[in-house]
PDB file of all heavy atoms in Angstrom:
ATOM      1  N   ILE A 217      93.418  87.834 129.937  1.00 98.00           N
ATOM      2  CA  ILE A 217      94.667  87.145 130.290  1.00 98.00           C
ATOM      3  C   ILE A 217      94.383  85.686 130.630  1.00 98.00           C
ATOM      4  O   ILE A 217      95.142  84.778 130.255  1.00 98.00           O
ATOM      5  CB  ILE A 217      95.372  87.868 131.459  1.00 98.00           C
ATOM      6  CG1 ILE A 217      95.824  89.261 131.013  1.00 98.00           C
ATOM      7  CG2 ILE A 217      96.570  87.060 131.952  1.00 98.00           C
ATOM      8  CD1 ILE A 217      96.372  90.130 132.129  1.00 98.00           C
ATOM      9  N   ASP A 218      93.259  85.438 131.309  1.00 98.00           N
ATOM     10  CA  ASP A 218      92.910  84.067 131.683  1.00 98.00           C
ATOM     11  C   ASP A 218      92.536  83.199 130.478  1.00 98.00           C
ATOM     12  O   ASP A 218      92.545  81.969 130.582  1.00 98.00           O
ATOM     13  CB  ASP A 218      91.742  84.072 132.679  1.00 98.00           C
ATOM     14  CG  ASP A 218      92.154  84.584 134.053  1.00 98.00           C
ATOM     15  OD1 ASP A 218      93.356  84.522 134.379  1.00 98.00           O
ATOM     16  OD2 ASP A 218      91.273  85.062 134.795  1.00 98.00           O
ATOM     17  N   THR A 219      92.189  83.825 129.355  1.00 98.00           N
ATOM     18  CA  THR A 219      91.829  83.044 128.161  1.00 98.00           C
ATOM     19  C   THR A 219      93.045  82.629 127.335  1.00 98.00           C
ATOM     20  O   THR A 219      92.919  81.835 126.407  1.00 98.00           O
ATOM     21  CB  THR A 219      90.876  83.833 127.227  1.00 98.00           C
ATOM     22  OG1 THR A 219      91.581  84.932 126.619  1.00 98.00           O
ATOM     23  CG2 THR A 219      89.655  84.342 127.975  1.00 98.00           C
ATOM     24  N   ILE A 220      94.220  83.182 127.654  1.00 98.00           N
ATOM     25  CA  ILE A 220      95.432  82.819 126.913  1.00 98.00           C
ATOM     26  C   ILE A 220      95.751  81.346 127.181  1.00 98.00           C
ATOM     27  O   ILE A 220      95.673  80.869 128.317  1.00 98.00           O
ATOM     28  CB  ILE A 220      96.622  83.711 127.331  1.00 98.00           C
ATOM     29  CG1 ILE A 220      96.302  85.184 127.036  1.00 98.00           C
ATOM     30  CG2 ILE A 220      97.899  83.299 126.613  1.00 98.00           C
ATOM     31  CD1 ILE A 220      97.316  86.157 127.630  1.00 98.00           C
ATOM     32  N   GLU A 221      96.103  80.620 126.135  1.00 98.00           N
ATOM     33  CA  GLU A 221      96.403  79.189 126.282  1.00 98.00           C
ATOM     34  C   GLU A 221      97.560  78.975 127.257  1.00 98.00           C
ATOM     35  O   GLU A 221      98.498  79.778 127.314  1.00 98.00           O
ATOM     36  CB  GLU A 221      96.760  78.588 124.915  1.00 98.00           C
ATOM     37  CG  GLU A 221      95.628  78.631 123.893  1.00 98.00           C
ATOM     38  CD  GLU A 221      94.604  77.528 124.087  1.00 98.00           C
ATOM     39  OE1 GLU A 221      94.559  76.917 125.178  1.00 98.00           O
ATOM     40  OE2 GLU A 221      93.840  77.269 123.141  1.00 98.00           O
ATOM     41  N   GLU A 222      97.502  77.904 128.039  1.00 97.00           N
ATOM     42  CA  GLU A 222      98.556  77.589 129.009  1.00 97.00           C
ATOM     43  C   GLU A 222      99.910  77.524 128.307  1.00 97.00           C
ATOM     44  O   GLU A 222     100.022  76.981 127.201  1.00 97.00           O
ATOM     45  CB  GLU A 222      98.246  76.263 129.696  1.00 97.00           C
ATOM     46  CG  GLU A 222      99.156  75.964 130.859  1.00 97.00           C
ATOM     47  CD  GLU A 222      98.686  74.777 131.688  1.00 97.00           C
ATOM     48  OE1 GLU A 222      97.467  74.556 131.773  1.00 97.00           O
ATOM     49  OE2 GLU A 222      99.569  74.082 132.232  1.00 97.00           O
ATOM     50  N   ASN A 223     100.922  78.132 128.931  1.00 97.00           N
ATOM     51  CA  ASN A 223     102.286  78.259 128.392  1.00 97.00           C
ATOM     52  C   ASN A 223     102.359  79.205 127.202  1.00 97.00           C
ATOM     53  O   ASN A 223     103.381  79.249 126.507  1.00 97.00           O
ATOM     54  CB  ASN A 223     102.876  76.893 128.025  1.00 97.00           C
ATOM     55  CG  ASN A 223     102.995  75.974 129.229  1.00 97.00           C
ATOM     56  OD1 ASN A 223     103.378  76.415 130.311  1.00 97.00           O
ATOM     57  ND2 ASN A 223     102.628  74.709 129.054  1.00 97.00           N
ATOM     58  N   GLY A 224     101.290  79.948 126.976  1.00 98.00           N
ATOM     59  CA  GLY A 224     101.314  80.979 125.946  1.00 98.00           C
ATOM     60  C   GLY A 224     102.087  82.194 126.423  1.00 98.00           C
ATOM     61  O   GLY A 224     102.688  82.190 127.500  1.00 98.00           O
ATOM     62  N   THR A 225     102.061  83.258 125.622  1.00 98.00           N
ATOM     63  CA  THR A 225     102.862  84.449 125.914  1.00 98.00           C
ATOM     64  C   THR A 225     101.986  85.695 125.917  1.00 98.00           C
ATOM     65  O   THR A 225     101.174  85.892 125.001  1.00 98.00           O
ATOM     66  CB  THR A 225     103.976  84.618 124.860  1.00 98.00           C
ATOM     67  OG1 THR A 225     104.843  83.475 124.914  1.00 98.00           O
ATOM     68  CG2 THR A 225     104.795  85.885 125.112  1.00 98.00           C
ATOM     69  N   LEU A 226     102.160  86.536 126.935  1.00 98.00           N
ATOM     70  CA  LEU A 226     101.512  87.845 126.996  1.00 98.00           C
ATOM     71  C   LEU A 226     102.572  88.924 126.854  1.00 98.00           C
ATOM     72  O   LEU A 226     103.544  88.972 127.618  1.00 98.00           O
ATOM     73  CB  LEU A 226     100.776  88.032 128.331  1.00 98.00           C
ATOM     74  CG  LEU A 226     100.236  89.455 128.591  1.00 98.00           C
ATOM     75  CD1 LEU A 226      99.185  89.839 127.549  1.00 98.00           C
ATOM     76  CD2 LEU A 226      99.665  89.568 129.996  1.00 98.00           C
TER      77      LEU A 226
END
Side-chain angles (χ1 to χ4, degrees):
I217 294 173
D218 289 337
T219 69
I220 300 170
E221 297 280 17
E222 189 170 329
N223 298 319
T225 298
L226 171 63

